[in-house]
Amino acid sequence: MKFGKTFESHLTLEWRQQYMDYGELDAMIRTAVDNAPDKHIRRSNRYIREHDLNVDPITEEYYQNFERNFFAVCHQELSRVEDFFAQKLAEARRKLDQIKIQLTSTPRSYNTRHLGFVCSEFYLSLIMLQNFQSLNYTAFRKICKKYDKHIKSQRGAHWFREYISDAPFSKQEELLTMINEVENLYMTHLTNGDRAKAMAKLRVPPLRQASPPVRVFMAGMLLGLFIVSAIVVILSLIYVRSNLALFATFGYMYRGIFTWVLCCFYLAINVYVWQKVGVNHVLIFELDVRKRVLPATFLEVASGFGYLCTLSMLMFLHHNEFGVSHPYNFPLICMVLPLVLLIIPIPILHLKARMWILRCFGRIFAAPFFFVQFADFWIADQLNSLALCIVDNYYLARFYVRYYADHVKALDFEPDFMVPILRCLPPWFRLAQCLKRYWNSSNRPYSYFLNAGKYFSTIVVVIFSTIAMNSNDKYDTIFANPWIWPYLASALISAIYCSAWDLIVDFGLFKVWKGENIFLRQNLVYRKGFYYFAIISNVLIRFIFIPEIYLIYYNILLPYNCKTLESFLEVTRRFIWNFLRLENEHLFNVGYFRATRDIYLNPIGLRADTEEEGSHDKGVQTSKRSSF
């Protein structure tokens, strides 16, 4: 692999602008060679003197000008690298002094677990700084060698010896000393002298870690099984479509489960693309880089859950062939088994990741009584798109309670008083989180109230839609119902509100109003066409309630089928939303050169420990966030 690609694949993305621009310097050399007056590279000055050769003055002047411009750019790149390295090294010195004080103080003001987190994240930052140092040193050496090779000169080697070999950023002694000192401090004070245990906690995996072949194989095998069984399910549905009762019951019982499967696959694609394009989701979600779940594992989980779901569907549809008179127990497998595997406290199937998810849900359900992290409000946003899925799972749970109690209305999947409550819970969680973040913020930004208003508008829509739905039986048509008009007005206001917030705040778009990136922003991670597709699809799906009412009014589709289509489209909209929301957060980290988690040693109150949600692209100076 060429060094240029190696350089790009190993750099720390949040510090991308602080590395030397190897690509620009390489392009300068190639352009100089291609545009040379004689189309040939001159011989070295020594060879010219020894053989008493004459050189064309125009050609000589061309190369002299290029040499002057090239090394002027090299000096600029070196200056940027040295300034950034000096800044980070000074921060590391101060942090190391703080760690020493905390570890050696008696009694300690922080518990051992917290200090362990601090040391591990600080150690990671030192490894990243060492990687920054070695990559830039190698890049300058490679570009100088390339200059000498293509220009037939020795000026590159001379410049490297003069400015790089003795440059402050090229000296590794202090950084290596700090790395060894952190290892010794961790070993002495946190693992009772056990070096193997200390290094197991501190050791940093490759920063561009690939999925193990075993995981890739398992994910591929389960994906293949899922695809085959899904095709068989589709053929089976065609076969049993004449049995309307079975077909309708199948839809009621499996719509919510299938939505979860779809979300799992969407999440696997999200994680894969984030890693592919360099969006650091591990840092954004405040995960431990040593124990992160790789994309192949997400696909493995999604495929395994999907395969279980399709097998249950096949058993349901063909229960007579298996000698089962009542097929209603099969969906219970898809409902209970994943839940048990999620909450079971056994060190299998990524226990730490499962416990992390449960802690996030705990903080979400307890809002606004817990400090809000990015993962908390991100997951709560996912729940807003899964409102209908949550209701479907409630219907399923209610069915099994009635079914095992021999209730006469066991197969009744009509809404009850719990349905509007469940639909209001996801927006309430986000509204409470916004108010909590406003309370914890030192400057009390109004944007939190604006965001809370967005979720309040969703709750209002649920209230009016519930009243309109429950009163429809009293009128001949839905438009004869007077409650339909407050519902339509609130839904329209909410759709405009949410669409504007998505595009302007969550995506950070509409920063540029002319030129190449019109309606977008200057920094783009994905291809430009994807942003326009995201804008159009997001707005269209937000206003899906308009064609839904039209289809129901003219009896083109049943309300159940319209809600099914709406649910799948909303999950797809959230899937697209995830790409741009994480990209926007990533660009914020890049702007502030934040490459590791912020775990503090100095006592900091919660009011000073938050950042303004959605203000990243506005250039507002925000306080750093905490992992706790």
Side-chain angles (χ1 to χ4, degrees):
M1 182 185 293
K2 292 184 177 180
F3 177 76
K5 293 183 178 179
T6 303
F7 181 76
E8 290 289 335
S9 63
H10 285 83
L11 54 80
T12 300
L13 292 168
E14 286 73 22
W15 297 346
R16 177 66 186 88
Q17 296 177 354
Q18 304 306 310
Y19 285 83
M20 69 92 73
D21 197 338
Y22 182 87
E24 179 188 358
L25 293 172
D26 182 46
M28 286 182 67
I29 294 174
R30 297 186 182 278
T31 302
V33 172
D34 294 338
N35 297 336
D38 58 357
K39 301 300 180 184
H40 296 287
I41 301 303
R42 66 173 181 179
R43 299 168 183 249
S44 67
N45 292 332
R46 181 180 177 183
Y47 184 89
I48 292 171
R49 287 195 304 270
E50 289 178 352
H51 294 80
D52 194 21
L53 297 177
N54 293 322
V55 180
D56 182 9
I58 297 177
T59 303
E60 186 67 19
E61 182 181 2
Y62 172 83
Y63 284 111
Q64 288 176 355
N65 290 334
F66 171 69
E67 180 179 294
R68 186 164 48 253
N69 294 334
F70 178 82
F71 288 108
V73 175
C74 287
H75 278 292
Q76 293 175 1
E77 299 296 316
L78 176 60
S79 177
R80 184 173 68 251
V81 169
E82 286 186 328
D83 290 345
F84 184 76
F85 182 79
Q87 175 190 345
K88 288 298 178 182
L89 194 62
E91 292 177 3
R93 293 192 196 103
R94 291 193 296 270
K95 192 66 173 286
L96 182 58
D97 290 339
Q98 293 176 344
I99 290 174
K100 288 179 183 178
I101 294 172
Q102 293 294 334
L103 287 174
T104 57
S105 63
T106 306
R108 293 176 185 166
S109 58
Y110 288 90
N111 59 37
T112 301
R113 184 170 179 266
H114 179 83
L115 289 172
F117 278 126
V118 172
C119 290
S120 63
E121 287 302 304
F122 178 60
Y123 189 82
L124 173 62
S125 68
L126 293 179
I127 296 299
M128 287 182 170
L129 190 57
Q130 186 184 43
N131 180 62
F132 176 86
Q133 181 185 54
S134 61
L135 271 180
N136 280 290
Y137 182 86
T138 306
F140 277 115
R141 180 171 57 84
K142 290 283 188 180
I143 203 66
C144 288
K145 288 180 65 176
K146 181 167 287 191
Y147 177 88
D148 288 347
K149 176 183 176 182
H150 289 279
I151 307 300
K152 304 300 181 183
S153 170
Q154 298 177 357
R155 176 64 177 135
H158 175 74
W159 187 88
F160 182 83
R161 287 193 301 269
E162 183 177 358
Y163 294 101
I164 303 298
S165 297
D166 296 327
F169 91 93
S170 65
K171 294 179 171 46
Q172 300 187 8
E173 292 77 10
E174 183 178 5
L175 194 55
L176 289 174
T177 300
M178 296 174 71
I179 291 173
N180 292 330
E181 197 165 356
V182 174
E183 293 174 356
N184 293 330
L185 286 169
Y186 198 98
M187 177 185 65
T188 303
H189 297 280
L190 299 176
T191 60
N192 297 321
D194 189 340
R195 183 169 183 81
K197 185 177 179 181
M199 293 309 300
K201 295 288 187 181
L202 291 175
R203 187 172 289 112
V204 180
L207 299 180
R208 293 293 179 269
Q209 185 179 5
S211 298
V214 175
R215 291 293 180 194
V216 176
F217 172 78
M218 288 297 298
M221 182 183 70
L222 290 173
L223 179 61
L225 291 172
F226 166 73
I227 292 174
V228 172
S229 57
I231 294 173
V232 177
V233 168
I234 294 173
L235 296 176
S236 299
L237 287 172
I238 297 173
Y239 175 76
V240 302
R241 69 182 184 276
S242 57
N243 189 343
L244 297 180
L246 180 66
F247 196 85
T249 306
F250 174 87
Y252 282 119
M253 301 191 103
Y254 280 103
R255 183 175 69 176
I257 296 173
F258 179 76
T259 305
W260 284 116
V261 173
L262 184 62
C263 285
C264 289
F265 276 105
Y266 278 162
L267 180 60
I269 297 172
N270 281 145
V271 175
Y272 173 77
V273 174
W274 289 333
Q275 179 169 295
K276 190 74 173 178
V277 301
V279 173
N280 194 347
H281 67 283
V282 177
L283 171 62
I284 293 172
F285 290 118
E286 305 284 2
L287 304 175
D288 188 347
V289 70
R290 300 164 183 82
K291 301 171 184 176
R292 63 191 178 99
V293 179
L294 298 172
T297 304
F298 282 94
L299 181 59
E300 183 182 358
V301 171
S303 301
F305 184 27
Y307 184 49
L308 174 67
C309 179
T310 51
L311 286 181
S312 173
M313 290 177 176
L314 289 174
M315 296 290 287
F316 183 92
L317 293 172
H318 299 285
H319 62 280
N320 291 326
E321 287 84 345
F322 292 103
V324 180
S325 57
H326 298 288
Y328 303 121
N329 290 325
F330 294 120
L332 186 62
I333 300 173
C334 299
M335 186 178 181
V336 174
L337 183 58
L339 182 62
V340 171
L341 293 177
L342 175 64
I343 65 177
I344 187 169
I346 298 177
I348 58 173
L349 300 175
H350 304 282
L351 174 62
K352 291 186 179 296
R354 291 189 284 113
M355 293 301 104
W356 179 85
I357 293 173
L358 291 177
R359 285 194 297 270
C360 288
F361 275 111
R363 291 192 295 268
I364 291 170
F365 295 152
F369 301 108
F370 280 90
F371 179 72
V372 182
Q373 303 178 36
F374 180 90
D376 300 336
F377 65 74
W378 183 84
I379 293 176
D381 275 325
Q382 310 304 305
L383 294 179
N384 275 269
S385 293
L386 291 168
L388 185 58
C389 175
I390 294 172
V391 171
D392 284 338
N393 282 270
Y394 163 72
Y395 285 149
L396 195 57
R398 187 186 67 180
F399 162 79
Y400 282 112
V401 172
R402 292 177 175 178
Y403 178 71
Y404 290 116
D406 293 326
H407 198 283
V408 293
K409 291 186 177 181
L411 290 173
D412 181 12
F413 290 93
E414 292 301 316
D416 57 16
F417 73 96
M418 280 298 298
V419 172
I421 296 176
L422 291 173
R423 290 176 62 195
C424 286
L425 279 180
W428 157 250
F429 293 147
R430 285 296 290 119
L431 189 152
Q433 287 177 339
C434 293
L435 297 179
K436 177 63 175 178
R437 300 188 78 189
Y438 175 81
W439 177 258
N440 288 340
S441 178
S442 58
N443 55 349
R444 302 291 176 87
Y446 68 91
S447 61
Y448 289 137
F449 271 125
L450 292 177
N451 202 13
K454 179 183 70 171
Y455 297 103
F456 178 75
S457 70
T458 303
I459 295 175
V460 173
V461 172
V462 173
I463 293 173
F464 282 127
S465 67
T466 302
I467 296 174
M469 180 180 62
N470 291 334
S471 58
N472 271 338
D473 295 338
K474 302 177 182 178
Y475 303 94
D476 295 334
T477 64
I478 57 175
F479 289 111
N481 186 349
W483 286 104
I484 195 66
W485 304 110
Y487 162 68
L488 287 176
S490 61
L492 186 63
I493 294 172
S494 179
I496 296 172
Y497 199 159
C498 294
S499 297
W501 190 275
D502 287 341
L503 302 181
I504 298 173
V505 181
D506 287 343
F507 297 168
L509 302 179
F510 291 94
K511 303 293 183 182
V512 175
W513 289 89
K514 60 181 179 179
E516 186 178 358
N517 293 342
I518 186 171
F519 304 140
L520 306 180
R521 46 178 143 76
Q522 293 296 339
N523 297 324
L524 303 177
V525 172
Y526 309 107
R527 293 184 179 181
K528 191 190 306 182
F530 175 73
Y531 295 90
Y532 296 113
F533 167 75
I535 292 172
I536 296 172
S537 62
N538 188 86
V539 173
L540 290 178
I541 296 174
R542 283 288 191 187
F543 287 87
I544 194 66
F545 67 94
I546 296 176
E548 176 190 0
I549 293 177
Y550 175 85
L551 294 173
I552 294 174
Y553 180 75
Y554 288 101
N555 295 321
I556 299 175
L557 284 178
L558 295 175
Y560 177 84
N561 295 331
C562 286
K563 289 298 180 184
T564 302
L565 180 62
E566 179 186 352
S567 177
F568 293 159
L569 286 175
E570 174 60 23
V571 171
T572 303
R573 185 195 68 82
R574 185 63 65 179
F575 162 68
I576 299 170
W577 181 92
N578 288 338
F579 286 123
L580 297 185
R581 181 65 185 90
L582 266 289
E583 179 211 23
N584 197 22
E585 187 75 10
H586 171 74
L587 292 176
F588 168 77
N589 290 333
V590 170
Y592 286 95
F593 312 119
R594 178 177 178 265
T596 56
R597 293 186 294 171
D598 299 323
I599 302 180
Y600 293 100
L601 274 172
N602 295 331
I604 297 178
L606 284 180
R607 289 181 182 274
D609 202 21
T610 60
E611 68 176 6
E612 182 175 347
E613 179 185 3
S615 65
H616 301 159
D617 282 337
K618 297 179 181 178
V620 179
Q621 179 63 40
T622 57
S623 56
K624 296 181 180 178
R625 73 191 81 187
S626 171
S627 297
F628 302 97

